[in-house]
Amino acid sequence: MTLVFLEHHDGELQKGGLGVLAKAASLGGEVAAVVVGHGVRAAAAAAGNYGASTVYVVDDPALEAPLPQPRVDALEAVVRASGAENVLFAASVLSADVAAGLAARLDAGLNWDVTDLALDGGTLVAKRPALGDTVLVDVGWTSTPRIALVRSGAFEAVETGGTATVQEVAAELRDYSTAARMVEQAHEQSSGPSIEDADVIVAGGRGLGAPEGFRLAEELAEALGGAVAATRAVVDAGWYPYSTQVGQTGKSVSPRLYIALGISGAIQHKVGMQSSGTIVAINKDPNAPIFDFADFGIVGKVEDVAPRLAELVRRR
Ligand code: FAD
């Protein structure tokens, strides 16, 4: 049985986990989801529409704050109760912590940065980039449960129209009052999708010239219904928030379309976005490394090209 961990926010299941669930369901076999938190029963049921036949719920006030340690306890209880052989997570800061904690707790193997999943003779195998993202390798596990952290955006959340049985699991949560505690939680205000969830990302680099240059990226993203991302160079310069950084020390994303505005294409940026469906690069330097791996390239100044592109999109 395959178990997929679903994160939720404001009573809504997050798209990343639902994509992993839909992928797991498409492989066949028994697929269940697990939702952990406080007051999450109603949200959990929606997982049936993405391929789960059962949704395990651990509902406890101690799970209200999005902290990893009690979630490891909850997941351990669900894995033991369900006998899950595979446990899948969509990458996020929280899920990465929970997956690693669960692997340590169960003495299980964890494959991370997974970009594809398949069954080989009924056994789960994964694909992940290796050697600085220059090759894709098949990876497996030598024991169960097989735990995988899937790269954000790797799979689309496809609705199946199904329903799931919600099953509560009583988990014994340890006392973490002397460990980490949530002091404050701030939600970033954003009118569009997050870069983890977006089908389209418009990313800006130093070629945008100044923080104000990001208006070009925002306008194009708005026209396409996408999200804005950034390189580390501009994040370090304080032009755009860290939460939007894509790359080795930022987030890994795989949108359907990635438009790079004034980005050179350094390897540390490339590793975070090269599994995007279609990559379009706009750069004034015809020798910029990004043109080596972009599907479409436009040699020109972003301030000339981006507004025209946004205008064309708006007109369609
Ligand atoms: P630049 O490399 O300065 O490129 C700017 C580009 O804009 C150039 O190609 C230029 O031709 C073009 N340009 C300039 N003006 C215009 C214009 N008017 N119109 C069109 N094009 C124009 N980087 C990341 O992005 N993410 C990471 O996670 C990351 N992690 C790192 C980790 C380590 C350990 C290290 C050492 C580095 C890391 N970096 C990361 C930094 C990375 O090496 C690059 O420095 C960075 O990606 C460059 O950002 P950039 O493309 O915005 O800037």
Side-chain angles (χ1 to χ4, degrees), residues 21-303:
L21 179 59
K23 175 65 186 184
S26 76
L27 297 177
E30 196 188 339
V31 178
V34 53
V35 178
V36 167
H38 184 43
V40 292
R41 291 177 191 92
N49 193 21
Y50 296 87
S53 54
T54 307
V55 190
Y56 295 97
V57 170
V58 184
D59 202 296
D60 192 298
L63 293 162
E64 173 102 56
L67 288 169
Q69 295 101 326
R71 279 168 173 70
V72 173
D73 296 342
L75 277 201
E76 180 188 7
V78 173
V79 169
R80 294 200 192 282
S82 65
E85 291 173 311
N86 311 312
V87 189
L88 310 179
F89 296 81
S92 73
V93 172
L94 179 66
S95 283
D97 270 356
V98 179
L102 185 69
R105 181 74 61 82
L106 300 175
D107 197 20
L110 164 64
N111 275 312
W112 60 279
D113 209 16
V114 166
T115 55
D116 203 4
L117 294 163
L119 290 183
D120 182 7
T123 303
L124 189 73
V125 287
K127 272 195 195 306
R128 68 174 305 268
L131 302 175
D133 267 14
T134 52
V135 290
L136 271 180
V137 294
D138 290 331
V139 286
W141 292 258
T142 53
S143 63
T144 55
R146 306 171 190 92
I147 304 179
L149 188 66
V150 176
R151 191 177 272 205
S152 100
F155 305 121
E156 211 179 316
V158 187
E159 296 187 35
T160 61
T163 52
T165 311
V166 176
Q167 197 171 315
E168 295 235 9
V169 175
E172 206 170 299
L173 306 179
R174 299 179 190 187
D175 176 13
Y176 291 105
S177 53
T178 56
R181 75 195 158 84
M182 181 65 65
V183 177
E184 193 187 343
Q185 208 178 341
H187 290 292
E188 209 167 43
Q189 293 303 318
S190 151
S191 52
S194 69
I195 63 168
E196 290 96 333
D197 284 342
D199 276 343
V200 177
I201 289 180
V202 180
R206 208 146 36 186
L208 288 176
E212 299 73 46
F214 265 85
R215 195 62 215 129
L216 296 175
E218 286 164 356
E219 273 167 16
L220 186 53
E222 211 172 290
L224 289 161
V228 177
T231 64
R232 177 165 165 178
V234 299
V235 166
D236 282 352
W239 293 8
Y240 226 62
Y242 171 68
S243 59
T244 64
Q245 183 187 317
V246 166
Q248 186 185 325
T249 41
K251 290 174 181 165
S252 293
V253 294
S254 321
R256 204 168 34 81
L257 174 64
Y258 191 96
I259 303 180
L261 305 180
I263 293 177
S264 59
I267 180 71
Q268 296 89 354
H269 186 75
K270 183 184 171 189
V271 294
M273 47 66 80
Q274 69 173 0
S275 55
S276 304
T278 302
I279 298 170
V280 178
I282 301 167
N283 196 304
K284 69 175 184 184
D285 175 5
N287 296 315
I290 196 156
F291 289 130
D292 295 341
F293 56 93
D295 298 291
F296 298 98
I298 302 171
V299 178
K301 290 186 176 174
V302 281
E303 52 273 39

